[in-house]
Structure formats: C-alpha cells, structure tokens
Amino acid sequence: MTPRPDPRVEAQWLRKLERATAAHEKARRALDEVIADARAAGVPLMTIAKHTPYSREWARKIAERVDAERTGPGSAD
C-alpha cells in the first residue's frame, strides 16, 4: 500500500485533481454539444466517429441525449 503524503501535499494534489476534473467535464460537455450540432446539420455518424474518441453508436447516444436535454422540460423552446 502506498503511504499517504503529508496532508498539505495531499491537499495540493486534490486541488489539482478537482481543477482538472472540472476542465475535463467542461470540455466533454462542449464536445457533446458539437456532436449533437454536427448530427443535426447532417454530418453522418460514421464521420463524427472518425473525428471523435467515440464510436458511431456512442456518438448517436450522445447526440440523442443532448437533443433531449435541449427540448426537455424547462427548455426555452
């Protein structure tokens, strides 16, 4: 088992992890939005899959989820 670091060192790493996680979540959400927009514009799912880290099926699921969120309850439509 790896010994725990000094609490100050651990706190520094936890802050770095939290910042990196927040940045990752923001970038992931932006990519999801672009996938949905590309699909809505008619870009084929296979083409989207070739230019993202997702398979065609995952790109479809992401686009459908984002579209549902956009048109779901409480949307501005």
Side-chain angles (χ1 to χ4, degrees):
M1 186 167 141
T2 303
R4 291 195 70 150
D6 177 87
R8 291 175 302 218
V9 172
E10 185 173 351
Q12 289 173 336
W13 280 108
L14 292 176
R15 283 191 300 276
K16 287 181 182 182
L17 286 168
E18 290 167 358
R19 284 192 305 271
T21 298
H24 174 77
E25 289 172 354
K26 184 177 178 181
R28 168 77 188 268
R29 183 66 191 165
L31 178 57
D32 290 356
E33 295 279 340
V34 172
I35 289 170
D37 292 343
R39 183 175 182 221
V43 178
L45 286 169
M46 286 303 296
T47 303
I48 294 170
K50 288 178 184 177
H51 295 274
T52 64
Y54 303 115
S55 68
R56 178 191 55 80
E57 186 63 19
W58 273 104
R60 182 189 61 77
K61 289 178 182 183
I62 290 167
E64 288 176 353
R65 179 184 47 79
V66 170
D67 289 343
E69 290 170 359
R70 289 175 175 172
T71 60
S75 66
D77 288 0

